Amino acid sequence: MSNKILLLEDDLLFGESIVDVLEEEGFGVVLCRNGQSALDETYKNQFDLYLLDINVPLIDGLSLLKELRRANDLTPTIYLTSHNEIEKLSQAFEIGADDYLKKPFNIDELIVRIHALLRRTKGKSRDCVGTLCIDELHKCILMGDKELELSLKEYQLMGLLIRNAGEIVTKEMIMDTLWSPSEMISDGAIRVYINRLKQEIGSDMIVNIRGVGYRLVS
């Protein structure tokens, strides 16, 4: 199966030229011309790589990646920046960018960087507790060979438990991961998601630490 790339570029002609070249290289590419449509696509599709412009309509490229990283989306990301955006790159790397190319760039260099980044990240994207694994690259939870059918928040919560397996995941950690600070969240809402995960993986794997939080055991 070919690697799937999300390209955020508001210059239609330039974006389509990149799409043509990448598709010739065997990649599947989805072109978005504003940050909101790009964000929507991440909910509908699983991507192997993001190529992001910074100055785009609705949601800029930096805010988009910040939102994705907050949602535990660790998909490898390359920024395609203009010269006057170089000063923003330190912010981009703090957010979680992996690489960048300054416009105008050589398309062959972009292809080399894409392949290099995919090689580096392949195999580093999966954490497992027994047969239960989170695939960060494809944003899914696997139990053996079966992919669990989870909502975004269920995926985020399951990932938090897996990455902290054997340790207590407090209710505060769960709230910080699943909801923004402005949202009002009850313990009941957390229990709903915990019970949903127990239905998927077995109730004996998630232990309730009364009044504190939860712990995933193998």
Side-chain angles (χ1 to χ4, degrees), residues 15 24 28 53 66 69 74 77 80 82 109-110 112 118 138-139 145-146 157 167 185-186 190 210 214:
E24 288 179 4
D53 192 4
K66 187 175 182 179
R69 294 299 191 245
L74 302 180
T77 301
L80 309 178
S82 61
E109 182 179 358
L110 174 62
V112 168
L118 289 175
H138 297 95
K139 301 190 288 294
D145 295 328
K146 176 188 174 184
L157 178 54
E167 305 292 334
I185 307 303
S186 66
I190 295 176
R210 188 173 180 86
Y214 302 88

Side-chain angles (χ1 to χ4, degrees), residues 123-166:
K124 295 181 180 180
S125 62
R126 183 172 293 190
D127 288 319
C128 297
V129 178
T131 61
L132 183 66
C133 299
I134 178 171
D135 186 331
E136 304 272 16
L137 192 58
H138 297 95
K139 301 190 288 294
C140 64
I141 304 293
L142 304 169
M143 195 160 191
D145 295 328
K146 176 188 174 184
E147 179 179 338
L148 304 185
E149 295 184 6
L150 303 177
S151 68
L152 176 61
K153 279 186 167 54
E154 289 165 356
Y155 163 79
Q156 292 170 345
L157 178 54
M158 192 74 260
L160 184 64
L161 290 167
I162 291 174
R163 285 188 291 271
N164 294 276

Side-chain angles (χ1 to χ4, degrees), residues 4 28 32 37 46 48 67 71 74 85 94 107 126 141 160 163-164 180 186-187 200 207:
K4 196 166 186 178
C32 297
S37 64
Q46 294 179 346
D48 299 287
E67 175 66 20
L74 302 180
E85 292 167 341
E94 287 175 4
I107 193 66
R126 183 172 293 190
I141 304 293
L160 184 64
R163 285 188 291 271
N164 294 276
S180 67
S186 66
D187 286 354
E200 288 289 322
V207 177

Side-chain angles (χ1 to χ4, degrees), residues 60-88:
D60 66 81
L62 293 177
S63 298
L64 173 62
L65 187 61
K66 187 175 182 179
E67 175 66 20
L68 293 171
R69 294 299 191 245
R70 194 184 73 83
N72 290 325
D73 183 343
L74 302 180
T75 302
T77 301
I78 300 175
Y79 274 107
L80 309 178
T81 76
S82 61
H83 177 72
N84 61 5
E85 292 167 341
I86 292 297
E87 67 273 10
K88 297 181 181 179

Side-chain angles (χ1 to χ4, degrees), residues 77-80 89 93 97-101 113-114 117 120:
T77 301
I78 300 175
Y79 274 107
L80 309 178
L89 283 176
F93 284 110
D98 298 277
D99 200 355
Y100 81 96
L101 270 176
R113 287 175 181 263
I114 288 173
L117 183 53
R120 289 202 306 270

Side-chain angles (χ1 to χ4, degrees), residues 149-158 161 174-175 177-179 183-201 206 214:
E149 295 184 6
L150 303 177
S151 68
L152 176 61
K153 279 186 167 54
E154 289 165 356
Y155 163 79
Q156 292 170 345
L157 178 54
M158 192 74 260
L161 290 167
I174 295 173
M175 290 179 182
T177 298
L178 270 64
W179 292 281
E183 294 178 285
M184 298 295 293
I185 307 303
S186 66
D187 286 354
I190 295 176
R191 285 196 296 271
V192 168
Y193 287 107
I194 289 291
N195 289 334
R196 171 78 177 96
L197 294 183
K198 285 182 176 182
Q199 292 173 5
E200 288 289 322
I201 69 173
I206 300 178
Y214 302 88

